[in-house]
Amino acid sequence: MRKRVLALVLVLLCGAACRRASQPLKPITEWWEQAVVYEIYPRSFADTNGDGVGDLNGITAHLDYLRDLGVDAIWITPFYPSPQVDFGYDISDYRDIDPQYGTLADFDRLVAEAKKRDIRVIADLVLNHTSDKHPWFVESRSSRANPKADWYVWRDGKPNHQPPNNWQSLFGGSAWQYDPQRGQYYYHEFYKEQPDLNWRNPDVRKAMYGVARFWMKHGVAGFRLDAISRLFEDPQLRDEPVAEPGVNAYGGPILNGQYTDNLPEVHDVLRELRKVTDEFPDSVLIGETYLPNVQELLKAYGSKDDELQLPMDMQFGMTNRLSVPDFRARLKEAETELRGNVPLLVFDNHDNTRSWNRYGDGVHDLAIAKLLAGLLLTPRATVQLYYGEEIGMENNDPKRKEDVKDPIGKLGWPAQKGRDGERTPMQWDARLNAGFSTAKATWLPVAPGYQARNVALEEKDPDSLLSFYKALIRLRRENPALRGGGFELIDEKDDNVLSYLWRAADGKTVLVALNFTASPREASYNVGRGQATTLISTFAKAGQVVDLKNLALAPYGVFVGQVE
Ligand code: GLC
């Protein structure tokens, strides 16, 4: 309510200037709007105890770097005690820290030090499943009559030792595992070591909301909700239809997921959880929401904006095609179809090949990486970065099956090489192990090429990708047009150059032009007096005045300028 009143006051204050803007101003009232959230995979960020695996103290040690980069929050992937089958996404204790990452005291210190630098900490909350070593599951599997018997999804099989139905695990094979102790099958959307919780059981909900409060009291600003669309399954256990002919990377059928993904009941849980986090001021819920279209994405905010504040828009960064019409359509949808909610744009994360490899052409990779930075950081959106994206880290996929650490890579080799490639150690400098660790061997090998691409080197180079990220982040933090101004896509017929304007409350206008092609392009804009002063560009110097009637854009060029 307070937010709405504040927004109204701001709009009234800006008076006539606002009315001149062709698109409505959207004053920023929450810290997470137009923010930068930086994802850290703790195993791979920085190792302070020399065991070859990153740790919480390693994150604390690099908070100045993150402050200088300009991030508003860090999301740390799971750091809880875990058998590490899925590298932390199989949790055996939700209220502690895995000893290889540190202690609760280390965590509290991390939160306190981050706060001093105005950085919030977001934890990863895995609600869909636990580890099979979690005491809840140990108890649940022990008999059919224990107090937690109904905490997981247990069913009898079909005759002749057949699973209850055709559902497939996302990580390969049947999603059902027979448990001889209990004499029944349990459901697992992911590895068999990750049994799914039964979210129809109120005690499960209560226990998990307690977990959320526990971490909020330890100072986290909110959660990234893992696999959130997967919480419920069809109670009638109907077989899933085949979506397309052929087999997936694990040799199984390709099913359409209609009885195991995105069931309507998910929204009840999101509303309940939002009430829990709303008990704490300034909290935020981010969702891992691989949803098929903007209509489904809108639902994730809640019909009364009472669910997730920031469901990830996975339609944006995963197309793997540098197509102006595609990205323009996504930005337009975000502006017009999300009821004014803030989109969360993402290119990279710990589950997908890095954008350097997905969008690069092998020739213009650095220029393309700068184009992606421009595309990510200049629209109206909160942005999620993945460690190393800002320095141009690339995938280092295992070359041999025996080197693979991620179990899906072992199972699906060679069609599926697993996710090790995008999880390699952060490249801090040109020393041993890229400055990540002093260990003889690191848990994953450092990617080759780190001597030419690392933080120390790029910090000194004004033309580096890192310097470009820093400049763009500073601009979106400080420029009044990019912070709550009116946003307008222009030149919508151009399939090569993506262009838009930002108009501040005082009428000052910023133009963004992004050349998506490997050739130079001429663009012509009829705005202002036809000139712009360069703010940030890959081809023009800051301060340089350019002619907007005849703007020559370099291949994959980025131009951000103050319209005169
Ligand atoms: C999410 C995580 C992924 C994990 C899976 C199971 O998709 O991002 O890394 O393997 O959930 O928890």
Side-chain angles (χ1 to χ4, degrees):
M1 185 60 194
R2 235 177 21 166
K3 294 183 272 174
R4 297 231 163 90
V5 173
L6 186 61
L8 187 68
V9 169
L10 284 171
V11 168
L12 290 176
L13 278 179
C14 75
C18 295
R19 286 193 290 276
R20 273 202 308 275
S22 56
Q23 293 286 308
L25 298 174
K26 290 194 185 145
I28 290 174
T29 57
E30 306 286 350
W31 72 263
W32 42 264
E33 289 180 70
Q34 204 70 3
V36 174
V37 179
Y38 185 96
E39 178 190 354
I40 293 179
Y41 200 68
R43 298 183 75 74
S44 298
F45 198 59
D47 168 23
T48 56
N49 63 357
D51 62 357
V53 175
D55 43 52
L56 295 182
N57 288 339
I59 301 175
T60 309
H62 288 287
L63 285 171
D64 284 349
Y65 167 74
L66 297 168
R67 179 202 52 209
D68 294 348
L69 179 59
V71 313
D72 300 282
I74 52 176
W75 146 36
I76 312 174
T77 65
F79 41 67
Y80 319 100
S82 160
Q84 305 289 339
V85 172
D86 194 14
F87 297 112
Y89 282 96
D90 48 323
I91 299 170
S92 51
D93 179 356
Y94 280 79
R95 293 173 184 241
D96 208 343
I97 303 289
D98 193 298
Q100 67 181 314
Y101 298 140
T103 62
L104 259 180
D106 294 334
F107 183 79
D108 292 340
R109 195 166 68 85
L110 165 57
V111 172
E113 288 297 320
K115 193 170 178 198
K116 284 185 198 160
R117 293 160 179 85
D118 248 337
I119 297 174
R120 289 166 161 95
V121 177
I122 291 170
D124 205 316
L125 195 54
V126 184
L127 299 176
N128 180 66
H129 49 269
T130 68
S131 160
D132 62 346
K133 300 291 182 296
H134 194 294
W136 298 341
F137 187 71
V138 173
E139 187 174 342
S140 189
R141 83 188 326 175
S142 66
S143 72
R144 296 189 196 192
N146 68 77
K148 298 209 166 40
D150 189 38
W151 277 44
Y152 293 81
V153 183
W154 291 100
R155 290 290 190 284
D156 292 331
K158 287 185 178 162
N160 297 324
H161 307 290
Q162 290 305 302
N165 64 17
N166 75 342
W167 295 349
Q168 294 284 301
S169 160
L170 267 185
F171 286 172
S174 168
W176 296 97
Q177 177 70 24
Y178 184 71
D179 184 62
Q181 208 179 339
R182 173 149 163 166
Q184 278 189 311
Y185 286 82
Y186 65 86
Y187 176 73
H188 58 93
E189 177 80 59
F190 298 94
Y191 294 124
K192 66 179 182 350
E193 294 85 354
Q194 294 170 298
D196 271 47
L197 283 160
N198 173 16
W199 275 86
R200 297 183 198 280
N201 183 327
D203 294 337
V204 167
R205 296 187 184 201
K206 230 169 104 188
M208 280 302 193
Y209 301 154
V211 168
R213 288 193 180 93
F214 175 86
W215 289 104
M216 294 298 300
K217 286 180 191 154
H218 274 273
V220 304
F223 302 100
R224 174 267 189 184
L225 303 176
D226 182 66
I228 192 63
S229 64
R230 310 263 170 194
L231 294 191
F232 290 88
E233 299 77 35
D234 175 34
Q236 298 174 47
L237 300 197
R238 283 170 281 189
D239 273 352
E240 266 175 354
V242 169
E244 51 184 278
V247 291
N248 60 28
Y250 315 100
I254 305 169
L255 305 179
N256 76 357
Q258 77 181 79
Y259 295 128
T260 54
D261 190 20
N262 205 15
L263 268 60
E265 292 90 330
V266 170
H267 296 282
D268 303 333
V269 172
L270 290 180
R271 274 191 297 275
E272 289 172 8
L273 190 60
R274 173 68 179 269
K275 285 206 180 101
V276 173
T277 52
D278 276 353
E279 292 167 14
F280 301 83
D282 292 335
S283 56
V284 69
L285 285 175
I286 297 176
E288 188 198 18
T289 38
Y290 285 91
L291 296 169
N293 53 51
V294 73
Q295 289 75 27
E296 286 304 312
L297 186 62
L298 176 62
K299 287 187 198 160
Y301 292 90
S303 56
K304 297 192 181 117
D305 294 334
D306 50 358
E307 299 183 25
L308 303 174
Q309 285 101 335
L310 295 174
M312 294 175 197
D313 179 351
M314 296 302 202
Q315 295 282 296
F316 182 82
M318 302 292 166
T319 57
N320 304 342
R321 232 161 43 101
L322 276 183
S323 151
V324 168
D326 282 1
F327 281 102
R328 183 182 287 132
R330 297 289 83 74
L331 292 180
K332 187 157 217 165
E333 281 178 353
E335 281 291 305
T336 56
E337 308 291 318
L338 294 181
R339 228 188 298 115
N341 282 298
V342 180
L344 176 57
L345 304 184
V346 186
F347 275 114
D348 284 3
N349 65 25
H350 64 286
D351 292 326
N352 291 284
T353 299
R354 286 185 179 269
S355 54
W356 182 278
N357 305 80
R358 286 186 288 123
Y359 290 88
D361 63 358
V363 179
H364 306 91
D365 292 346
L366 181 58
I368 292 173
K370 287 185 177 176
L371 176 76
L372 296 186
L375 177 58
L376 187 63
L377 290 162
T378 60
R380 185 200 308 286
T382 288
V383 158
Q384 191 178 293
L385 301 182
Y386 180 50
Y387 79 94
E389 186 176 351
E390 73 279 17
I391 56 169
M393 274 177 62
E394 54 186 300
N395 259 62
N396 183 35
D397 293 329
K399 309 284 175 297
R400 308 175 316 167
K401 187 176 173 186
E402 50 272 39
D403 296 333
V404 176
K405 295 280 190 313
D406 184 13
I408 53 171
K410 294 184 186 152
L411 201 67
W413 189 271
Q416 164 64 271
K417 293 193 167 65
R419 298 163 291 180
D420 297 351
E422 57 264 27
R423 297 173 175 179
T424 59
M426 176 68 174
Q427 296 164 198
W428 293 107
D429 54 43
R431 290 177 301 166
L432 171 77
N433 300 327
F436 159 74
S437 166
T438 54
K440 268 213 191 82
T442 52
W443 83 282
L444 284 176
V446 174
Y450 73 89
Q451 272 147 334
R453 214 171 296 137
N454 60 59
V455 170
L457 203 72
E458 294 192 33
E459 271 180 338
K460 284 190 230 117
D461 175 3
D463 289 329
S464 68
L465 186 61
L466 178 59
S467 298
F468 196 61
Y469 265 88
K470 278 190 186 171
L472 285 168
I473 295 173
R474 198 176 321 118
L475 183 81
R476 59 187 261 127
R477 280 187 148 203
E478 292 173 2
N479 185 291
L482 271 73
R483 276 197 81 75
F487 179 87
E488 186 185 356
L489 289 157
I490 57 171
D491 265 24
E492 295 192 48
K493 294 218 159 50
D494 191 330
D495 284 354
N496 299 310
V497 179
L498 179 65
S499 313
Y500 35 89
L501 297 175
W502 278 100
R503 286 204 178 88
D506 61 5
K508 283 201 176 136
T509 301
V510 170
L511 165 78
V512 179
L514 305 168
N515 177 2
F516 273 49
T517 73
S519 323
R521 298 275 161 194
E522 296 271 311
S524 180
Y525 303 100
N526 190 14
V527 283
R529 295 195 308 273
Q531 285 193 331
T533 305
T534 308
L535 295 168
I536 294 178
S537 173
T538 52
F539 55 87
K541 285 222 164 5
Q544 187 181 325
V545 176
V546 299
D547 177 7
L548 292 182
K549 291 267 161 27
N550 199 357
L551 178 62
L553 294 153
Y556 299 113
V558 174
F559 178 81
V560 185
Q562 183 75 54
V563 175
E564 307 296 347

